Amino acid sequence: MPELPEVETVRRGVEPHVLGRRIRRAVVREPRLRWPVPEDFARFVEGRRITGTDRRGKYLLLALDTTGDRLIVHLGMSGRLLVLTAPEPLRKHDHLDLELEGGVLLRYHDPRRFGAVLPWPAAQGLHPLMATMGPEPFSADFHGDYLFERSRGKTTAVKSFLMDGSVVVGAGNIYAAESLFRAGIRPTRPAGKLSRGDCARLAEQVRAVLTAAVAQGGTTLRDFAGADGASGYFQQALYVYGREGQPCRVCATPIKLLRLGNRQSCYCPRCQR
DNA sequence: CTGTTAACCTGAGTGC
DNA sequence: TGCACTCAGGTTAACA
């Protein structure tokens, strides 16, 4: 998936096409996503107007009417949300369609089915999926001191810590690796041993990396495409992710690869200590 | 409680 | 061509 910048890119791509349009019909072809699309999904959305788009972490939110009811879309690892303005033949894994007024079709496509499309009635209050989420990286709540306090006593590797959604949302494998490089911190360092200064640099770099990636439309990767099918340009700005064995862009030392929590982690052994 | 691992799925790529 | 194998952007349930 899409990490935060990719989701934000999709949101920006989708918004102008859906804003103010009514959902005429919903077609669920495959309800077995990460969490099943409920039976009453079509009834929940049909006839309602999309009045806003939002994002919380990696969850894309579509506001329905002015009731506070929303639609949650999560892209998992391989999900896409396509805006179609002309008929397109159905492809494998086109699991769900929202047919909007004006001949616009929102199509959810997800080969691995790790994503989700869920109704979120206002009456439900805070959605369970978002209840334990940490702060948005761009919010005032996310800063060095916050990271410092949260990491005290933690023995887990700082990269795993950073990818924990209850600490901060939006940093997945790519951007965690990139933030750590820019902050000069080795991914294996125990989170609890970071200094206040480490945490300040890390928080700053998380924000900087995500900001830059959003500005570039995300990173081009196998399964990611923006809502219009285009892909992002952040790939060329990566320092470590996917660059195992290649020279560090700062010091030319070969980038190393290790496995952390079943996930590939690239780092520069010289720039990151 | 904390921290790590396996599992959910399919497709792409690699090596034989 | 085909088969066996590994790996992939996320999240969480189950374990130690």
Side-chain angles (χ1 to χ4, degrees):
Chain A
M1 138 165 124
E3 301 183 32
L4 186 151
E6 288 73 28
V7 177
E8 180 59 23
T9 299
V10 169
R11 190 193 69 76
R12 293 179 183 186
V14 161
E15 187 178 64
H17 294 101
V18 303
L19 214 54
R21 286 197 204 289
R22 207 178 281 277
I23 301 170
R24 285 239 161 89
R25 198 163 76 103
V27 179
V28 181
R29 291 183 204 87
E30 174 56 86
R32 295 174 303 165
L33 305 183
R34 179 73 172 78
W35 297 280
V37 180
E39 297 271 348
D40 63 354
F41 178 81
R43 212 174 329 128
F44 181 78
V45 298
E46 280 174 0
R48 312 193 59 185
R49 197 180 299 280
I50 299 175
T51 51
T53 71
D54 210 341
R55 180 191 54 72
R56 178 77 175 95
K58 298 165 189 172
Y59 293 92
L60 182 64
L61 306 173
L62 302 179
L64 303 176
D65 303 321
T66 51
T67 55
D69 286 355
R70 298 198 249 195
L71 208 56
I72 299 175
V73 179
H74 194 284
L75 302 177
M77 299 253 268
S78 55
R80 296 184 189 194
L81 192 60
L82 300 168
V83 174
L84 304 177
T85 48
E88 289 260 344
L90 268 184
R91 290 172 309 161
K92 205 175 173 183
H93 311 303
D94 285 342
H95 303 315
L96 189 147
D97 282 348
L98 294 181
E99 299 173 13
L100 310 184
E101 293 174 319
V104 175
L105 189 66
L106 257 191
R107 176 163 285 171
Y108 181 80
H109 173 95
D110 184 6
R112 292 175 74 182
R113 292 193 273 120
F114 282 4
V117 180
L118 294 168
W120 180 14
Q124 194 176 351
L126 184 56
H127 196 281
L129 286 172
M130 277 163 263
T132 57
M133 272 189 170
E136 286 288 324
F138 301 127
S139 75
D141 295 340
F142 180 71
H143 46 67
D145 286 342
Y146 165 80
L147 273 187
F148 184 77
E149 300 306 335
R150 280 299 299 265
S151 59
R152 291 312 86 186
K154 304 264 183 203
T155 58
T156 194
V158 59
K159 177 148 177 282
S160 306
F161 173 73
L162 203 54
M163 289 174 66
D164 180 345
S166 71
V167 173
V168 60
V169 296
N173 203 30
I174 298 177
Y175 299 114
E178 294 299 311
S179 307
L180 286 165
F181 173 84
R182 295 186 187 208
I185 298 168
R186 216 171 266 218
T188 45
R189 287 262 298 277
K193 298 222 167 141
L194 296 179
S195 69
R196 235 175 236 285
D198 289 331
C199 289
R201 290 199 321 279
L202 188 52
E204 190 187 327
Q205 292 309 321
V206 165
R207 238 194 302 256
V209 165
L210 293 177
T211 302
V214 168
Q216 301 274 300
T219 304
T220 305
L221 285 165
R222 238 195 336 274
D223 291 330
F224 170 70
D228 57 359
S231 39
Y233 294 97
F234 195 68
Q235 178 86 61
Q236 57 213 48
L238 298 177
Y239 282 97
V240 288
Y241 180 83
R243 297 198 64 246
E244 172 199 4
Q246 298 177 52
C248 171
R249 299 204 149 119
V250 172
C251 75
T253 303
I255 298 299
K256 280 199 170 183
L257 172 71
L258 57 81
R259 269 196 109 65
L260 251 182
N262 244 340
R263 204 123 243 186
Q264 287 212 354
S265 296
C266 289
Y267 70 99
C268 171
R270 178 151 173 209
C271 296
Q272 294 173 263
R273 304 278 177 178

